[in-house]
Amino acid sequence: MSEPLYFEDFELGRVFDCGTYALTKEETFEFAREFDPQPHHLDEEAANQSMLKGLSASGWHVCAIAMRMLADGVILKAKGLGGVGAPEGRWMKPARPGETLRMEAEVIAAKPSGSKPFGLVTLECRLFDSSEQIAMISMTPIIGKRP
């Protein structure tokens, strides 16, 4: 096992490849039934008649996928100590079942604590489908400093 990433490893502008995620129709329906039961996430005909012009995952589902990808791509490789929030989330295009989503996370801010052995890192997580960016979510984990 390699040494974890520490706060000092999160220099401004660094971009992490967070891999890919294949979005399925089944999970789109499952998430919507449980957490976002709007007709355009639950019924293909309603989705076709909506402003989205087809079935798409809930934006909250997209956020959950992004969190998983960030955990696998960055957080679980770092001296992660928790988080302080997600100051921004934007859904620019629908995430469609059948697409393979790709995510990258760029360090856009890094603020060391003056009195604690950690710092706050703000990551801009950009999700893409096969042709363009579809969402952006910024998250701020707490990352431990190098001992």
Side-chain angles (χ1 to χ4, degrees):
M1 183 173 164
S2 61
E3 182 173 314
L5 296 167
Y6 291 98
F7 174 78
E8 294 82 359
D9 299 314
F10 289 83
E11 52 282 331
L12 287 179
R14 182 172 182 180
V15 177
F16 294 89
D17 177 357
C18 295
T20 61
Y21 185 91
L23 180 62
T24 68
K25 186 185 293 188
E26 294 75 25
E27 74 176 287
T28 299
F29 287 141
E30 185 179 325
F31 186 96
R33 278 192 300 273
E34 182 73 17
F35 299 108
D36 191 355
Q38 297 181 73
H40 56 272
H41 297 313
L42 289 168
D43 177 86
E44 289 191 67
E45 186 54 38
N48 290 335
Q49 299 302 315
S50 76
M51 66 182 227
L52 299 174
K53 302 294 183 215
L55 188 63
S56 66
S58 163
W60 300 111
H61 187 184
V62 172
C63 287
I65 291 167
M67 185 64 231
R68 179 56 195 242
M69 294 176 81
L70 183 64
D72 290 345
V74 181
I75 302 297
L76 297 176
K77 297 175 182 176
K79 183 68 174 163
L81 303 172
V84 298
E88 183 177 15
R90 287 185 277 148
W91 305 301
M92 288 90 84
K93 302 283 181 183
R96 306 279 187 199
E99 283 283 351
T100 296
L101 306 178
R102 176 180 65 81
M103 190 173 91
E104 60 187 34
E106 180 178 354
V107 178
I108 61 169
K111 182 177 191 261
S113 169
S115 60
K116 305 281 190 218
F118 60 76
L120 303 178
V121 175
T122 301
L123 298 161
E124 182 178 278
C125 303
R126 297 180 292 261
L127 272 83
F128 301 86
D129 66 12
S130 61
S131 61
E132 63 187 327
Q133 185 173 349
I134 62 166
M136 191 284 294
I137 301 146
S138 63
M139 298 183 201
T140 306
I142 304 166
I143 306 293
K145 292 179 182 175
R146 190 166 268 108

